[in-house]
Amino acid sequence: MTDPVGDAVNTIHDKLDTSGWFNTVSNDETHDVVNTLTALPADQADQVVDRLAQSGDLDRVAHEVMDSDWFGNGGLSGDERRAFFADMAGKLDGDSLAALSDAFAGADNGGFDPVTELGQAVATHGSSQAKVDYIAAMKGGVDDATQAHYGLGYSSSQMQDAEATAVGDVLGSLRGSYAQLGFEAIGDKLPDVLTSATDGQLMTIASQAGASNSISWNADSFEAIMGAAASTYDPDLKAQVFDAGVQTLRAVRDTDSVLGGLTVVGKDETLRQMTDGLTAIIDSDTTGVMRELTYNQQTMDGSSFAAYAKEMLNQGREQEQGQQMGRLQVGNYATENPVDYLNQVETVAGTDQERRANAGALGYFVGGVYAATTARSADVAEQRETVTAILKSALTVVDKVASLGGPTGRVVAGGAAVGKEWMQIAVKNAIADEGAAAGIRLERGALPVNGQTGELGVGDAVASAFEDRLASVTRTAQP
């Protein structure tokens, strides 16, 4: 009976043989090794790689592929290496792909380039399950290392770890339930992955006049990872990724030019791209994510959300913030009666206690936006303009409640008409009260107002849930 796996292992071992005088592995033999692997079907290729890893020959394969010595006749070209990685990524399971990555990480002339090239290949050609397993297997090698490069008259630091970069590319390619599994697999190493995903580059150039320093970023991978989180179905996971993403945004935001020291390049564009990714998470399930941010201990002080809100306002995105506020008032799809919606009660997990999470989330939002507004500008007129724009945008969402099409929409709208009217009154009154302080206007525009009595259209329990979160965030948030 033929044994294609054993035959392939033996062939590769023989091609790697360097016993005897001047018996180096030639370029042709390196190609034979790679061709032997790529000619195998997926299941056999995976078994061969596993056996090569166990024997130590996989490390030698990596060494020969990366060989740039003339005496060894050289390894593969960059294009040939990437074609090899693409083939392996479509065939191997996650553990075998991680073993292959480790082999290239330790090879002479290996390290960052082949590890990240393999990660890109896995992101493009790997199966969803292989990607998740690869992330789990790679986790132990992920850290916050940087790459140093030197040349005539310059040096640069690439603020990326090879394994973290590779994992980030793969994580950003996942969607839905597989993205959820990917985030669970990387766990507490996500901050390191996100740091690498911004691709910070610090360049120092020496001249007769002295040294100049510049820093730049590329947030493509970061935005893709946020998109992966937005595609999941777990609002708690989304909130956790959002929080980690904001911490990474802070690091970029707080990097400033120093007179005679550092030139910052493309910072505004990077922050906009990062904010786009964070907004995708919030907008994917505004009510669910905001509830989790409100009650998770790590984020309940409001600092992460307020930092995000501040950056949104810096970018002139008050309209998007207002739409988020409107969803917190009448639901993600503008189908809820706000009076009933804010009074919805849930039981706190593991207890017999109740809370009005929708009202609390609205208070958290208002507190965070107000903290962001005041942190961004001390100018009272500017604060009022910001709040006016937010409230006007929120009103466009509230206005949709009673104008849904179709029979189902008409039924929903009929039940919500009074609540909608009361919310409209609150928002319109807040918009019209241009002389009031920004925080007061946001607060007054949040809860429904009974048009006949002029009183709040909700009871003490709703008002208390809203005001408790509002007061807490206003006091503790650090944008």
Side-chain angles (χ1 to χ4, degrees):
M1 179 180 291
T2 60
D3 179 12
V5 172
D7 291 344
V9 170
N10 291 334
T11 296
I12 292 171
H13 181 79
D14 291 342
K15 295 293 181 181
L16 296 173
D17 181 26
T18 56
S19 60
W21 290 95
F22 303 108
N23 183 18
T24 62
V25 177
S26 69
N27 180 264
D28 286 342
E29 288 174 317
T30 300
H31 279 87
D32 289 341
V33 168
V34 169
N35 291 338
T36 298
L37 281 167
T38 56
L40 295 168
D43 60 334
Q44 294 176 13
D46 194 80
Q47 294 179 61
V48 170
V49 168
D50 288 346
R51 288 173 62 171
L52 292 174
Q54 292 169 6
S55 68
D57 280 339
L58 190 61
D59 292 338
R60 298 193 58 211
V61 170
H63 170 77
E64 296 302 336
V65 167
M66 298 301 299
D67 184 15
S68 62
D69 294 337
W70 175 87
F71 192 67
N73 292 313
L76 302 187
S77 69
D79 287 343
E80 290 172 332
R81 183 175 68 240
R82 286 184 284 274
F84 170 55
F85 288 159
D87 184 83
M88 292 294 96
K91 292 178 177 177
L92 305 184
D93 65 22
D95 289 334
S96 297
L97 287 166
L100 187 63
S101 179
D102 289 344
F104 276 90
D108 293 344
N109 301 312
F112 187 86
D113 287 345
V115 169
T116 54
E117 287 170 359
L118 179 57
Q120 291 166 1
V122 175
T124 304
H125 302 286
S127 69
S128 296
Q129 187 59 57
K131 292 177 183 181
V132 172
D133 294 340
Y134 166 85
I135 292 170
M138 291 285 285
K139 179 181 178 180
V142 169
D143 59 31
D144 58 355
T146 60
Q147 311 298 312
H149 307 278
Y150 302 94
L152 183 61
Y154 83 91
S155 67
S156 67
S157 294
Q158 189 172 358
M159 289 172 274
Q160 287 180 288
D161 171 66
E163 285 76 12
T165 299
V167 166
D169 286 338
V170 174
L171 185 56
S173 73
L174 292 168
R175 290 294 181 270
S177 60
Y178 283 106
Q180 173 102 16
L181 293 172
F183 283 108
E184 292 172 355
I186 197 59
D188 59 0
K189 290 297 185 75
L190 179 61
D192 289 335
V193 171
L194 293 179
T195 296
S196 284
T198 58
D199 188 13
Q201 304 276 349
L202 178 62
M203 177 74 73
T204 299
I205 299 177
S207 67
Q208 291 182 342
S212 63
N213 303 297
S214 63
I215 188 169
S216 61
W217 302 268
N218 183 329
D220 288 350
S221 181
F222 177 94
E223 187 176 12
I225 293 170
M226 296 300 108
S231 76
T232 66
Y233 305 101
D234 183 354
D236 184 47
L237 174 74
K238 293 182 183 187
Q240 293 177 45
V241 177
F242 176 89
D243 179 47
V246 171
Q247 305 318 312
T248 309
L249 179 142
R250 281 181 181 271
V252 175
R253 183 197 71 184
D254 296 341
T255 302
D256 292 317
S257 296
V258 179
L259 184 62
L262 181 66
T263 301
V264 177
V265 180
K267 178 177 172 180
D268 290 344
E269 181 180 349
T270 300
L271 289 173
R272 176 169 289 277
Q273 191 171 12
M274 296 177 77
T275 306
D276 285 346
L278 294 166
T279 299
I281 293 179
I282 295 290
D283 288 353
S284 69
D285 180 7
T286 303
T287 59
V289 175
M290 292 303 301
R291 282 196 298 266
E292 295 298 333
L293 290 173
T294 302
Y295 293 104
N296 285 348
Q297 186 175 26
Q298 186 174 345
T299 55
M300 65 189 302
D301 72 341
S303 293
S304 288
F305 178 73
Y308 158 76
K310 180 182 177 182
E311 191 55 42
M312 288 284 281
L313 299 180
N314 283 339
Q315 296 174 19
R317 300 169 72 164
E318 292 88 351
Q319 181 177 358
E320 292 171 76
Q321 291 261 268
Q323 290 169 352
Q324 292 166 355
M325 180 175 177
R327 293 183 206 119
L328 293 173
Q329 293 172 313
V330 295
N332 282 337
Y333 305 104
T335 57
E336 302 288 342
N337 177 344
V339 175
D340 295 337
Y341 180 68
L342 294 173
N343 195 40
Q344 286 180 8
V345 175
E346 67 178 26
T347 302
V348 179
T351 76
D352 58 358
Q353 300 177 42
E354 296 179 338
R355 66 183 173 208
R356 286 168 171 78
N358 294 332
L362 181 57
Y364 178 93
F365 178 93
V366 170
V369 170
Y370 177 63
T373 301
T374 56
R376 176 173 172 265
S377 174
D379 184 274
V380 173
E382 186 173 355
Q383 292 175 7
R384 289 170 177 164
E385 289 176 3
T386 296
V387 168
T388 296
I390 291 172
L391 290 170
K392 286 182 176 180
S393 180
L395 186 60
T396 66
V397 178
V398 175
D399 284 345
K400 295 178 182 179
V401 172
S403 59
L404 303 178
T408 302
R410 283 194 290 271
V411 172
V412 172
V418 173
K420 170 207 170 177
E421 180 185 348
W422 289 5
M423 187 61 81
Q424 285 175 316
I425 291 171
V427 179
K428 289 178 179 179
N429 286 347
I431 293 172
D433 192 7
E434 296 179 352
I440 297 298
R441 295 175 71 202
L442 278 173
E443 183 176 354
R444 289 177 177 172
L447 299 180
V449 171
N450 186 314
Q452 294 182 333
T453 66
E455 299 175 348
L456 277 181
V458 293
D460 288 347
V462 172
S464 178
F466 170 83
E467 291 167 0
D468 284 350
R469 290 292 88 214
L470 168 63
S472 177
V473 171
T474 301
R475 183 180 70 253
T476 61
Q478 299 293 324

